[in-house]
């Protein structure tokens, strides 16, 4: 069945076993699925607006006011990514233990504190410390994706994850317009000095973050069935309904095995009493229901199951490809305004910042495109190998564009902006396609896998910025880009042969 525009505002059809939506009501915040979708991307959006609020003003205003060298600016960029890496690792486990909603709100409220204190910075050391703690907001990506995965069925989860991530990531682009606009308004209309104006400007993201966290807590549930702590009992009820249905419709072998998943205080039984004998339509129905149930259940984090989820080649694949693609995005976001200002000095701080903002804004289109493509390919091929092939194809083309930009170092605006737009498509679509595969890899530890994959992206950003920091001076942007491109191509080729999910895992192909 093709796409129907009515699904954008109508209440979605629900999978009866896991209670997840089979469509995405993007324009219906009254519906609980639409409301969770809205707050997932909006919470991520305001977090990224604040996290990236410094770079648009660093090129001239903060650099002058705090008397910063180029190396000190680069150091502050790196520390901002380091905190996000740590928080993403912790946030994944927190999502599996406490649920994504509370983890999300907690990250926003903690990140609001350094945002409010931005105006107190007077030295380079103060900037570095504050940007480190503001990096907490970069961890908001993890609960954003885990929360979305919990509410949308696997048939649309790639699209849902890509949309929430893409719209949220666009915050890193909007802030390039927002912060200079607020700053200019305070200087020109309110008569504040430049030193005072940039400090006052940070009050705006603080208010947005705090208000969003409060709304999230007051208006949304943890899971489609309600509280996170009772999710296992709710799923057990649906499994019992499944067993009743199958018992009244089959006469299969009564001697079967039972498996279980420890998802908290209770253990949920996955009974398969009809799993022997001839394959029938009813048995196929049971297999599908078991798959849906196992997809929903999240294990209580333990050392054993966490290591089991992490120490697999499919997990390694996610880490490598996201290290390359999102690492590229983070590093480019941090240097693009300065790169444009260097090659096109006539643009000035505001002009170079506005053009640099386009890279982040394109996330609203290009990242969802990656997730949508991955879902379409999966529906037509019924194969996760197809999703994986898409990820590597996008990653390799990303590397090609980075090398082209680095070698050519365009001094023509149309050439530069055209190549950057092409690079943005392959970069951001690769990010979206990667998180269309993440929910398949280890659904019972989805928060953990999401967390380490997201952290790998931050690690990539840090490594790529360090490469630039120590490569013939921190302002040699072309060399940074072609090195990142070469690493990206090599990384994707290195893991292209690995299976998309662990062999024998239920629900995968």
């Amino acid at each position: 069945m093709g796409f129907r525009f009515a699904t954008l505002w109508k209440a979605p059809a629900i999978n009866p076993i896991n209670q997840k939506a089979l469509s995405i009501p993007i324009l219906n915040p009254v519906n609980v699925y639409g409301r969770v979708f809205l707050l997932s991307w909006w919470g991520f959006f305001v977090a990224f607006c604040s996290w990236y609020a410094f770079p648009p003003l660093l090129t001239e205003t903060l650099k002058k006011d705090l008397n910063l060298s180029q190396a000190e600016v680069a150091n502050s960029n790196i520390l901002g990514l380091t905190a996000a890496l740590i928080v993403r690792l912790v946030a994944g486990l927190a999502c599996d233990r406490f649920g994504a909603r509370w983890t999300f709100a907690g990250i926003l409220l903690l990140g609001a504190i350094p945002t409010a204190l931005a105006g107190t910075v007077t030295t380079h050391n103060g900037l570095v410390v504050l940007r480190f703690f503001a990096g907490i907001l970069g961890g908001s990506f993890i609960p954003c994706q885990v929360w979305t995965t919990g509410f949308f069925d696997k048939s649309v989860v790639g699209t849902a994850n890509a949309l929430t991530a893409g719209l949220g990531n666009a915050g890193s682009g909007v802030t390039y317009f927002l912060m200079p606009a607020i700053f200019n308004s305070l200087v020109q209309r309110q008569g504040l000095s430049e030193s005072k104006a940039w400090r006052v400007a940070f009050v705006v993201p603080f208010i947005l973050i705090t208000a969003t966290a409060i709304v999230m807590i007051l208006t949304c549930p943890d899971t489609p069935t309600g509280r996170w702590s009772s999710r296992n009992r709710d799923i057990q009820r649906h499994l019992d309904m499944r067993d009743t249905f199958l018992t009244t419709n089959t006469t299969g072998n009564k001697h079967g095995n039972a498996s279980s998943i420890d998802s908290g205080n209770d253990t949920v039984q996955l009974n398969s009493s009809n799993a022997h004998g001839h394959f029938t339509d009813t048995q196929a129905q049971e297999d599908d229901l078991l798959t849906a149930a196992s997809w929903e259940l999240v294990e209580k984090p333990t050392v054993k199951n966490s290591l089991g989820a992490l120490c697999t080649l499919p997990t390694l694949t996610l880490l490598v490809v996201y290290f390359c693609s999102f690492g590229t995005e983070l590093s480019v976001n941090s240097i693009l305004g300065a790169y444009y200002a260097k090659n096109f000095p006539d643009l000035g701080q505001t002009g170079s910042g506005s053009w640099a903002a386009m890279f982040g804004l394109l996330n609203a289109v290009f990242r969802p495109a990656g997730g949508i493509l991955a879902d379409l390919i999966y529906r037509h091929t019924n194969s996760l190998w197809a999703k994986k092939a898409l990820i590597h194809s996008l990653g390799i083309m990303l590397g090609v564009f980075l090398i082209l930009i680095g070698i050519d170092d365009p001094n023509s605006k149309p050439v530069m902006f055209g190549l950057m737009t092409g690079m943005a498509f392959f970069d951001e679509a690769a990010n979206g396609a990667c998180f269309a595969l993440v929910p398949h890899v280890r659904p019972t530890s989805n928060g953990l896998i999401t967390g380490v994959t997201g952290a790998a992206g931050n690690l990539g950003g840090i490594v790529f910025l360090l490469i630039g920091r120590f490569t013939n001076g921190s302002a040699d942007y072309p060399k940074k880009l072609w090195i990142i491109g070469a690493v990206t191509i090599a990384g994707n080729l290195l893991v292209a042969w690995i299976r998309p999910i662990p062999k024998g895992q239920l629900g995968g192909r």
Side-chain angles (χ1 to χ4, degrees):
M1 183 180 294
F3 174 75
R4 292 182 301 168
F5 281 100
T7 60
L8 296 177
W9 59 83
K10 289 184 64 176
I14 306 301
N15 183 319
I17 298 301
N18 57 26
Q19 299 299 295
K20 293 185 180 183
L22 297 169
S23 62
I24 309 169
I26 296 172
L27 304 178
N28 186 355
V30 176
N31 178 268
V32 66
Y33 295 92
R35 189 160 61 252
V36 167
F37 176 84
L38 170 63
L39 286 172
S40 289
W41 77 258
W42 176 254
F44 186 31
F45 177 91
V46 296
F48 256 48
C49 271
S50 182
W51 188 27
Y52 275 98
F54 283 95
L57 301 177
L58 267 174
T59 307
E60 291 182 12
T61 305
L62 270 74
K63 191 174 181 181
K64 177 182 176 181
D65 189 43
L66 301 180
N67 195 26
L68 303 174
S69 68
Q70 185 62 36
E72 289 172 332
V73 170
N75 289 339
S76 75
N77 287 335
I78 292 168
L79 265 294
L81 296 180
T82 302
L85 185 156
I86 298 169
V87 173
R88 287 185 176 201
L89 288 172
V90 175
L93 291 169
C95 286
D96 286 343
R97 182 66 180 87
F98 304 108
R101 178 177 66 114
W102 284 104
T103 303
F104 205 161
I107 287 174
L108 292 179
L109 292 173
L110 285 174
I113 298 172
T115 302
L117 295 175
T120 64
V121 172
T122 57
T123 65
H124 161 250
N125 289 335
L127 177 66
V128 168
V129 171
L130 189 124
R131 289 202 69 188
F132 175 82
F133 286 104
I136 291 170
L137 293 166
S140 61
F141 171 72
I142 304 306
C144 165
Q145 296 291 275
V146 175
W147 206 20
T148 306
T149 298
F151 275 79
F152 295 95
D153 190 72
K154 67 178 180 179
S155 61
V156 297
V157 73
T159 301
N161 277 349
L163 281 168
T164 54
L167 293 170
N169 258 338
S172 64
V174 170
T175 198
Y176 270 92
F177 291 109
L178 179 66
M179 294 305 290
I182 296 171
F183 170 79
N184 290 334
S185 175
L186 291 170
V187 171
Q188 296 168 10
R189 298 185 181 182
Q190 303 300 321
L192 298 183
S193 66
E194 290 190 358
S195 179
K196 186 174 292 185
W198 76 259
R199 301 170 193 278
V200 175
F202 278 87
V203 173
V204 175
F206 164 73
I207 293 172
L208 289 173
I209 293 168
T210 305
T212 299
I214 293 171
V215 172
M216 192 178 290
I217 292 170
L218 296 179
T219 66
C220 293
D222 295 322
T223 73
T225 56
R227 293 166 58 88
W228 180 255
S229 59
S230 65
R231 72 195 185 282
N232 38 7
R233 291 190 293 273
D234 294 330
I235 294 302
Q236 182 68 67
R237 186 176 70 252
H238 290 295
L239 287 171
D240 291 342
M241 291 169 60
R242 178 215 67 180
D243 287 339
T244 301
F245 170 79
L246 291 169
T247 300
T248 58
N249 285 279
T250 64
T251 56
N253 190 337
K254 303 283 180 154
H255 303 286
N257 299 319
S259 59
S260 65
I261 294 179
D262 182 7
S263 56
N265 296 325
D266 303 313
T267 298
V268 178
Q269 299 294 327
L270 298 180
N271 301 308
S272 53
S273 59
N274 298 299
H276 299 278
H278 298 291
F279 283 90
T280 65
D281 289 341
T282 304
Q283 184 177 342
Q285 289 176 339
E286 181 184 13
D287 291 340
D288 288 342
L289 297 178
L290 277 168
T291 298
S294 69
W295 184 277
E296 170 66 18
L297 295 172
V298 175
E299 296 176 330
K300 180 180 179 181
T302 64
V303 173
K304 181 179 179 181
N305 63 36
S306 295
L307 288 176
L310 294 175
C311 298
T312 66
L313 289 176
T315 300
L316 174 65
T317 299
L318 296 175
L319 302 187
V320 171
V321 297
Y322 206 63
F323 174 98
C324 295
S325 62
F326 194 63
T328 296
E329 181 176 339
L330 290 177
S331 58
V332 170
N333 266 330
S334 295
I335 67 171
L336 195 53
Y339 186 22
Y340 285 164
K342 176 175 177 288
N343 279 30
F344 312 112
D346 58 302
L347 290 175
Q349 175 176 269
T350 301
S352 60
S354 296
W355 277 105
M358 298 307 297
F359 183 78
L361 286 173
L362 288 171
N363 264 297
V365 178
F366 290 164
R367 184 154 185 159
I372 292 168
L373 276 173
D375 276 354
L376 288 174
I377 290 172
Y378 182 59
R379 287 175 203 163
H380 282 86
T381 64
N382 221 18
S383 171
L384 292 177
W385 275 108
K387 275 192 176 185
K388 191 168 184 291
L390 173 66
I391 294 169
H392 296 311
S393 299
L394 293 168
I396 291 170
M397 287 304 300
L398 164 62
V400 169
F401 267 80
L402 286 166
I403 291 173
L404 286 175
I405 296 168
I407 292 175
D408 188 43
D409 187 21
N411 288 302
S412 163
K413 291 175 186 174
V415 174
M416 173 69 90
F417 299 149
L419 286 173
M420 281 293 179
T421 300
M423 187 268 284
F425 170 76
F426 291 108
D427 185 17
E428 293 160 8
N431 290 333
C434 180
F435 271 84
L437 180 61
V438 166
H440 294 272
V441 171
R442 186 67 180 250
T444 53
S445 298
N446 183 57
L448 175 64
I449 299 300
T450 301
V452 296
T453 304
N458 270 79
L459 180 61
I462 294 169
V463 170
F464 291 154
L465 285 174
L466 285 172
I467 288 173
R469 174 73 174 78
F470 299 104
T471 303
N472 291 347
S474 55
D476 191 355
Y477 304 117
K479 189 170 184 178
K480 297 177 187 179
L481 293 178
W482 74 253
I483 291 175
I484 294 171
V487 171
T488 297
I489 292 173
N492 276 274
L493 292 175
L494 184 67
V495 297
W497 60 274
I498 297 174
R499 296 175 58 88
I501 64 171
K503 188 174 182 179
Q505 179 174 293
L506 183 64
R509 296 174 178 84

